[in-house]
Amino acid sequence: MNAMPHKIDDTRELHEDSLGESVLRHLIYSVGKDKAHADARDWNVALSLAVRDRMVEGWIDTTRRIYKNKQKRVYYLSMEFMIGRMLEDNLTNLGLLSEAKTFLKSQNLDVTTVINAEQDAALGNGGLGRLAACFMDSMATTGVAGMGYGIRYQHGIFRQAVEDGWQVEEPEDWLFAGNSWEFRRPEVVYEIGFGGHVTHDEDGKATWHPSESVQAVAFDMPIAGWEGDHVNTLRLWSARQSGMMNLDTFNDGDFMAAARQQVLAETISKVLYPGDHTPQGRELRLKQEVFFTSASLHDLLRRFFANYDNLDTLGDHVAVQLNDTHPAIAVPELIRILMDDHGYDFDHALKITRETLHYTNHTLLPEALEKWPRDLFEQILPRHLQIINMIDGAFYREAIEKGLDHHIIAGIQAIHPHQQDWVRMGNLAFIGSRKVNGVSALHTELMKQTVFHDLHTMYPDKIINQTNGVTPRRWLLECNPGLSDLVTEQIGDGWIDDLEQLKEIEPLATDADFQQRYMAVKAANKQRLADMVKTRTGVILNSDAIFDVQIKRIHEYKRQHMNILETIALYNAIKANPDGDWQPRVKIFAGKAAPSYFFAKLIIKLINDVAKVVNNDPDIGDKLKVVFLPNYNVSMAEILIPGADLSEQISTAGFEASGTGNMKFALNGALTIGTLDGANVEMLEHVDAENIFIFGMNADEVAERQHRRARPSEIIKTSPALQQVMTQIGDGTFSDGDTDRYRDFLSNVTEHDYFQVVPDFQSYWDMQRHLDALYGQSEKWAEKTILNTARMGWFSSDRTIRSYADQIWRAPHKTSGP
Ligand code: 26W
């Protein structure tokens, strides 16, 4: 499909020249380089600008169409957008990829080098941030009038280096070379206040007098959907000093004082907090949350007034989704704006807010549920604190009416009436939202049974489930062209925006020729992965081995440490019988640990220590290799996932809200070894029990063991394999004789083991050995991998977004009914 020249109502042809001509024009006039001196980055920018030109027309069309049709708008507020690279994605969505490749080849340029000469936009920590990026792609593809709001961090998630096996963090600097895809919007600026005090006039009208403020400036990125005819906006806010630098101070030579204000203001959008599930509770983090949420609410209300003049109807024309509690300040902030700026009384303002806001919870981990010191609120958000107290008051009255008793109510108010030291953002978001959703069926059930049990009792139909999904454009069409072409050849390319069509390849699962071609694609992707591993670590992989991959943030509940314990046990087994008929295995790990999370960093060190011993042991040779790849990010995932045979989704049941990597692997023909946790449960329902390899305790069994604090030692003494592994970790086998290094690790696992590594170990080991045997039956293995691809259609984020639009936002999309 060639991008048709667009006619905007001023009917002037905008694109006479071909893509190639546009690139050459941008190279000279936008990049300022001639072909002889241009490097890959220059060509990347020139091509990006030429593609961006072709997105802008659809962008302007879409914006005008939405205004004209008064289409209901959806605003996705997220502190994180883990976008990755954008050039190939935009080329693909606009159907320009092949034309671009032809042009680059005609210039004797290496396509991959030019396309990859772009830094990942890594404005996220992990699952939550990547989901937001997949949702942006799917909202544009399904025709939802969806706009993303976030922060334009100068520094995204840190760059991970590994020195002597230890993680080292280095600042990330994606904006150093500029971002070709953004448009600065100097006309879109909002003043965001902090601190100060609140006055009330004679008839009680409140006025907040902030003591300091910063400006939020908008930067827009067009987000094109599949086939580029609907282009939404991702608006990221950047902080700047409000009001100009104080020149007098400067001229009196006190440059630092003059600059200090500026630096202070800009720190708000300086860097992403790297805590995944571990809030640091820093004041700056709270200011970041207020900064982007307040700017976004002001901006969407300004746009509302372009079409309407009565805020009573806000909920009919606008739906706001809060991506976890990070933007939950939206509840008191919208009420404040409605009351203090638009004269609404509290009850009416609360009503409108509850018709407009919706909250998604992404984790049940108690330490990840944000709560802020009440005093900090008093200090920097005095008016919001007043409003939160009013919300709690109204909520209390409502709860009493519904017959809840006082101490239950106290537990679910935003601020506990007796221990008034915390503002609990989960309760605040729940109370102030129309709908609250979990991200997998199991997770949503557990929300009702645990963290939100009493709130669920009070509002029995507020919690609904919206199982996550992933975009098939980036996570199949773009990262696995071999498999995409093979599928399209068989069933056409309708699957690209209607993924359930993949079902049509099911009959080919036992077809020898198709199996052969499908596994040939896998083999080629494994070779590409092996080449990347060699380049990055020097380790040479045996491509006949099972490529067993665990890639995600490092966290105890994700149990990378159970994987490495199994790896050591396998090493021991091979050592004990090196001539045995072993199925070669490659263990690939990647993932970042939050800088303050010592145990996670220790797990990375252990993986690297084990790798050093195993990979250099002549008895082992090619039978087992262990690799830790530094600096895991979206672009690396796009190589790792298509090249994997086995996907590790082994979290302690009840702890992984959903997972999305699990979906990407299965879609790309990897088999899953996993627990009955998060979306693994629904993957089992879709791919069927014989095509996914479930082991271990389920969530109830885990909760029961945790509840009675069952001791791991009982089990360890029954397992010689585990005993040997623990002994080796303690006696320095993997730490150059240092018997201290893993003392904390051992005491954690052998004495507490909160995440149940020990009780799940044996069934995990057994399932791994079962998979070794199955891999030897290549037809059987091929059949199961093909069935995984065929049956993963439901896990498209297009399906998820259509479901949000129908069940939460009540917003139209391309395929929504009348
Ligand atoms: C305040 C610190 C902080 C930062 C991020 C706390 C919690 C988070 C996120 C909620 C953590 C996260 O990324 N959760 C993941 O969200 C994915 C998308 O829904 C799920 O698939 C994962 O299971 C969940 O861990």
Side-chain angles (χ1 to χ4, degrees), residues 13-58:
E13 282 284 335
L14 266 177
H15 279 296
E16 297 83 9
D17 54 5
S18 69
L19 181 67
E21 285 153 346
S22 302
V23 175
L24 292 172
R25 194 162 37 74
H26 274 297
L27 187 66
I28 295 166
Y29 298 111
S30 307
V31 180
K33 289 279 186 74
D34 63 3
K35 286 205 284 188
H37 298 87
D39 64 16
R41 167 109 202 127
D42 298 324
W43 284 106
N44 177 289
V45 172
L47 177 54
S48 300
L49 294 174
V51 173
R52 191 184 76 171
D53 292 349
R54 284 157 176 72
M55 292 168 83
V56 169
E57 297 111 23

Side-chain angles (χ1 to χ4, degrees), residues 127-128 275-277 279 285 324 326 362 439 468 557 656-659:
L128 171 140
D276 184 66
H277 290 89
R285 166 79 181 193
D324 216 277
H326 312 158
H362 296 268
V439 290
N468 283 165
Y557 86 79
E656 189 68 87
S658 164

